[in-house]
């Protein structure tokens, strides 16, 4: 009996930790019980997010292609036209026959400022507009002659048109395989921009990328809807365009030189030769971004709300009634015999039964104390007598 009272005294004097309370233990147990549901919810959210991201990326790639359908169509048509001219016998024939072939092709490519054959000497005498020009003194045209392969080139100021243009070239060889020169179609950038704008206005309600540009395998920007002088501020910082020359269609996130977060879409137009890249604001490309954590917030919030509800339920159903009963027990142990403040009418059945048992115990103790006091009083009276 002495040891039992000592253990009770030790428990009452020991400071209670937060995890020893009913509310805390109830929340911890329920959190562990709901943890598998949270993990499953997060896994399903991840799968749904990946599926939504894949669809958003495909939509972004499709919108990029739609936005530049006119421009890409002209460039690819010009690429095929230069290849067709390079194999035409008229190119190696007399200048008037060659010029006639160039004029016919120029009618097929109305966006071109000139269609011409430039021999390896650099002296152009065969062109669609009948003009001649000596390109031998131009280093850039010398690089085209030396390359002897199909290529795209950007000229800031064409000697004939006087404007910025894109050159589409193809080498010309005779039957013996001797290099003769190259055929070229010059596409002014303002003509390509007008093709894109005509497409945008013809498709109502279609969301277009804010900025897009084309580049070759060497990473040189060929065309840009924002202008070649401004496209540098939208390029992904720290990444060279030449590194994408073997990439497939993809969507990735990056930052510009100014530190702005952007989403980029890359589409190969001619595999290994011509590529298209578009730049989207973070808000527009949010669904396609892989760093978006917002879909995971709802399962975590629901799990946290479940913990709060568990704590509230434990407090409402158990803890407050236990505190009332504990307070009454403590006051009774200290000698307070008033039981008016013990109200467990809204408590669960088990706690009401505990309250009733305490009331019966307290009533028995008070009756025994009263009987003992009466016995002592009678003893004192007898002793006095």
């Amino acid at each position: 009996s002495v040891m039992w009272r000592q253990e009770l005294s030790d428990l009452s004097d020991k400071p209670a930790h937060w995890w020893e309370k009913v509310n805390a233990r109830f929340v911890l147990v329920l959190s562990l019980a709901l943890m598998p549901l949270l993990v499953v919810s997060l896994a399903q959210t991840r799968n749904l997010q990946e599926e939504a991201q894949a669809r958003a990326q495909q939509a972004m790639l499709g919108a990029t292609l739609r936005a530049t359908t006119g421009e890409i169509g002209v460039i690819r048509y010009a690429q095929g036209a230069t290849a067709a001219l390079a194999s035409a016998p008229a190119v190696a024939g007399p200048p008037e026959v060659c010029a006639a072939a160039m004029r016919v092709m120029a009618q097929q490519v109305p966006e071109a400022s000139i269609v011409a054959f430039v021999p390896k000497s650099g002296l152009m005498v065969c062109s669609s507009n009948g003009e001649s020009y000596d390109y031998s003194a131009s280093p850039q045209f010398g690089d085209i002659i030396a390359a002897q392969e199909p290529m795209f080139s950007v000229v800031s100021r064409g000697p004939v048109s006087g404007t910025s243009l894109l050159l589409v070239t193809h080498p010309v060889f005779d039957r013996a395989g001797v290099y003769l020169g190259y055929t070229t179609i010059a596409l002014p950038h303002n003509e390509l921009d007008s093709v894109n704008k005509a497409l945008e206005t013809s498709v109502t309600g279609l969301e277009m990328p804010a900025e897009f540009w084309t580049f070759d395998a060497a990473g040189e920007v060929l065309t840009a809807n924002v202008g070649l002088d401004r496209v540098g501020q939208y390029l992904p910082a720290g990444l060279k365009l030449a590194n994408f020359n073997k990439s497939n269609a993809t969507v990735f996130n990056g930052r510009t030189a100014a530190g702005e977060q952007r989403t980029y879409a890359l589409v190969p137009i001619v595999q290994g030769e011509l590529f298209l890249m578009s730049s989207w604001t973070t808000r527009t490309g949010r669904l396609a971004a892989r760093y978006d954590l917002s879909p995971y917030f709802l399962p975590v919030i629901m799990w946290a709300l479940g913990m709060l509800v568990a704590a509230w339920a434990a407090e409402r159903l158990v803890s407050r009634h236990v505190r009332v009963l504990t307070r009454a027990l403590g006051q009774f142990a200290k000698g307070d015999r008033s039981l008016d403040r013990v109200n467990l009418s809204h408590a669960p059945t088990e706690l009401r039964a505990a309250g009733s048992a305490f009331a019966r115990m307290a009533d028995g103790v008070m009756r025994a104390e009263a009987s003992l006091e009466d016995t002592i009083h009678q003893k004192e009276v007898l002793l006095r007598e």
Side-chain angles (χ1 to χ4, degrees):
S1 176
V2 174
M3 293 179 61
W4 181 71
R5 287 196 297 270
Q6 183 64 33
E7 290 178 359
L8 290 179
S9 177
D10 294 340
L11 290 175
S12 62
D13 296 337
K14 182 181 177 181
H17 300 284
W18 66 269
W19 60 82
E20 296 178 338
K21 296 182 179 180
V22 175
N23 295 9
R25 292 187 176 186
F26 194 81
V27 169
L28 290 176
V29 172
L30 187 60
S31 64
L32 293 177
L34 295 179
M35 187 62 68
L37 294 178
L38 176 63
V39 174
V40 171
S41 299
L42 293 177
Q44 291 180 345
T45 301
R46 181 180 179 181
N47 294 335
L48 291 176
Q49 185 187 32
E50 290 179 350
E51 182 178 354
Q53 285 176 349
R55 293 180 179 178
Q57 290 174 2
Q58 292 300 321
M60 186 175 294
L61 294 174
T64 301
L65 282 175
R66 288 194 299 270
T68 57
T69 297
E71 175 183 318
I72 299 303
V74 172
I75 294 176
R76 297 192 68 173
Y77 188 86
Q79 187 183 29
T82 55
L85 286 174
S87 60
V91 174
E96 59 274 10
V97 178
C98 177
M102 299 301 157
R103 286 193 295 271
V104 172
M105 185 58 68
Q107 294 176 358
Q108 304 298 321
V109 190
E111 295 83 6
S113 61
I114 188 172
V115 181
F117 166 66
V118 181
K120 60 182 180 180
S121 63
L123 180 60
M124 182 191 74
V125 295
C126 173
S127 63
S128 59
N129 58 6
E131 297 183 6
S132 60
Y133 193 85
D134 188 5
Y135 293 102
S136 59
S138 175
Q140 185 168 9
F141 289 93
D143 295 338
I144 298 176
I145 294 175
Q148 298 187 18
E149 62 182 10
M151 60 185 303
F152 302 95
S153 303
V154 176
V155 178
S156 58
R157 183 178 177 83
V160 176
S161 63
T163 62
S164 174
L165 49 86
L166 171 66
L167 290 180
V168 184
T169 61
H170 197 282
V172 179
F173 300 91
D174 62 10
R175 294 182 178 180
V178 178
Y179 178 63
L180 301 178
Y182 62 88
T183 56
T184 180
I185 295 179
L187 302 173
H189 285 117
N190 54 3
E191 292 291 336
L192 296 175
D193 290 340
S194 63
V195 171
N196 290 329
K197 292 178 181 178
L199 177 68
E200 292 180 15
T201 55
S202 65
V203 183
T204 58
L206 179 64
E207 183 180 3
M208 297 294 180
E211 302 85 19
F212 53 86
W213 54 88
T214 59
F215 60 95
D216 59 11
E220 181 181 8
V221 178
L222 305 177
T223 63
N225 69 328
V226 294
L228 296 178
D229 56 336
R230 296 180 53 208
V231 69
Q233 59 184 315
Y234 299 105
L235 297 178
L239 297 176
K240 295 182 179 180
L241 295 180
N243 296 337
F244 296 99
N245 57 6
K246 296 182 180 179
S247 301
N248 297 321
T250 184
V251 176
F252 63 96
N253 299 303
R255 293 185 180 274
T256 63
E260 181 185 4
Q261 183 72 37
R262 308 281 289 187
T263 301
Y264 296 91
L266 172 69
V267 182
I269 303 303
V270 180
Q271 191 67 41
E273 297 182 18
L274 181 63
F275 303 87
L276 170 65
M277 183 176 289
S278 61
S279 176
W280 306 71
T281 60
T282 303
R283 183 181 63 180
T284 305
R286 182 178 61 84
L287 290 177
R290 297 187 181 277
Y291 60 85
D292 187 17
L293 299 179
S294 57
Y296 298 97
F297 291 161
L298 182 59
V300 175
I301 291 175
M302 295 301 295
W303 179 78
L305 287 177
M307 301 304 99
L308 293 178
V309 171
W312 176 84
E315 170 66 21
R316 183 73 179 174
L317 300 177
V318 180
S319 297
R320 66 188 184 110
H321 302 299
V322 170
R323 285 196 300 270
V324 171
L325 186 58
T326 303
R327 191 181 306 113
L329 288 170
Q331 292 174 351
F332 187 83
K334 293 178 181 179
D336 187 357
R337 296 298 184 259
S338 60
L339 302 179
D340 298 336
R341 292 187 294 271
V342 183
N343 184 8
L344 298 177
S345 59
H346 299 288
T349 304
E350 293 83 353
L351 293 179
R352 289 203 305 269
S356 300
F358 166 68
R360 290 193 299 270
M361 180 195 70
D363 183 67
V365 171
M366 288 188 291
R367 289 178 181 274
E369 289 178 347
S371 177
L372 181 60
E373 289 179 358
D374 184 62
T375 302
I376 293 174
H377 178 70
Q378 292 180 1
K379 183 179 178 180
E380 290 178 352
V381 172
L382 291 174
L383 289 175
R384 290 174 184 176
E385 288 180 356

